[in-house]
Amino acid sequence: QGGRLLTPVYVEGRGPYLFAIDPDAPLTTVDPDVLRNTDFRIWMGPRRTDEQDTTHPTFYTRLTHLKAGDLTISLLLVAEADAHAFDTDGRRIYGILGRDVIADSLVFGFDRDRGVAWLQTQEAFKAPPGAQVLDYHKVRSEPVADPRKLVTAKVDGHELDLHLDFGEAVSQLYPPQWQAAELKPVDWHLSLVDSIGKRHDVDKLGIAQQVTAQGITRDGIAFAPYADRRYLYHLFDGTLALDFFQPFDVAVNWNTTKVYATPRKTVALADRLARWGFPACTETGCVQLSLASTAEN
């Protein structure tokens, strides 16, 4: 629906483990349950920094076989998170696939109606017909090395620079910009998890009546307070996340810094049901029931 992008992953032939996809995460990170009862050699390495600008001791290992869909990776350095660090919305999430998998040299995209995320080479990718195109530019902020991908957007007529965040469901805005954009605050409980598995709770959202980015306009977008302290505040104002792109199939060419947003097509009910292994049915919400007894005659 409108949540984070999730995919089943097999690690060393075990699984499936449900992972989130986060192109902003510099490194794939796994729950310790994935590594339990294995022969992996685990060592302590560089400390990692969370969004509150606090460093944490981190253990690392190398996976020799990771498989997601028809993508297979034979050797991958991963970091270990705390147990249950990525669990959200009542789901057991065993890790995140980061930018080491969703490499900058590839084109990344997703189609929610088909239930697929995909990677293509530059040579194989063709721009989808009828797509609206967003151009973004990159900025870096020391000491964090990974660049932010910025587009200029209007939030209720107020012009802001927002980072494109395809790893998070909810857009975010620095609190000083809430007043400037005259967002309407509403009470709402939300727990956000950063790329190393550290949480912060949100108790309010700010509702923008209209958000426009290079010709794409959405109404009623909710913004959580942006609290990432690793970046200099004057470089940008917040994030534009998956909720903004909910009505679109999306392709991102990291090499040409372009985002292609194509309006989603209606998918037949039978095709939706088939994704979950249900037989085709001709009526909305049809269910077949059968009665059986285990009692002995």
Side-chain angles (χ1 to χ4, degrees), residues 112-124:
R112 288 189 182 276
D113 296 298
R114 292 171 55 215
V116 228
W118 50 266
L119 295 169
Q120 284 187 334
T121 63
Q122 294 291 327
E123 294 76 19

Side-chain angles (χ1 to χ4, degrees), residues 61-257:
T61 192
R62 292 191 185 277
L63 303 180
T64 59
H65 189 273
L66 182 145
K67 182 177 176 61
D70 57 8
L71 172 68
T72 300
I73 299 174
S74 59
L75 189 63
L76 185 68
L77 175 70
V78 300
E80 184 181 72
D82 296 334
H84 296 270
F86 299 110
D87 293 358
T88 52
D89 298 327
R91 287 181 169 179
R92 182 75 169 97
I93 310 296
Y94 288 90
I96 56 171
L97 297 178
R99 203 170 60 246
D100 48 353
V101 174
I102 309 163
D104 285 353
S105 60
L106 300 173
V107 181
F108 163 69
F110 57 89
D111 180 332
R112 288 189 182 276
D113 296 298
R114 292 171 55 215
V116 228
W118 50 266
L119 295 169
Q120 284 187 334
T121 63
Q122 294 291 327
E123 294 76 19
F125 174 69
K126 305 296 182 187
Q132 294 175 270
V133 182
L134 278 71
D135 287 289
Y136 65 85
H137 64 280
K138 299 179 182 180
V139 296
R140 293 181 180 272
S141 172
E142 296 299 338
V144 181
D146 55 313
R148 303 288 86 180
K149 303 168 180 67
L150 303 186
V151 295
T152 299
K154 287 188 177 180
V155 179
D156 285 343
H158 188 69
E159 196 168 275
L160 302 170
D161 288 323
L162 301 179
H163 163 62
L164 297 172
D165 186 354
F166 295 107
E168 184 56 74
V170 181
S171 298
Q172 301 174 51
L173 201 62
Y174 278 124
Q177 297 294 353
W178 279 39
Q179 184 175 1
E182 299 180 354
L183 299 187
K184 296 181 179 179
V186 296
D187 292 333
W188 197 273
H189 177 70
L190 189 66
S191 183
L192 300 178
V193 185
D194 67 19
S195 62
I196 71 169
K198 302 304 177 184
R199 295 177 180 268
H200 73 273
D201 292 326
V202 170
D203 58 10
K204 287 187 184 299
L205 295 178
I207 309 300
Q209 300 304 303
Q210 190 173 85
V211 179
T212 300
Q214 297 182 21
I216 298 178
T217 298
R218 294 291 320 283
D219 296 331
I221 297 297
F223 287 88
Y226 190 55
D228 192 340
R229 300 180 181 276
R230 298 172 298 173
Y231 296 94
L232 299 177
Y233 289 169
H234 70 274
L235 291 179
F236 59 98
D237 303 298
T239 69
L240 210 54
L242 290 167
D243 52 355
F244 180 79
F245 293 95
Q246 194 272 339
F248 301 97
D249 298 331
V250 174
V252 189
N253 192 331
W254 311 115
N255 191 51
T256 62
T257 65

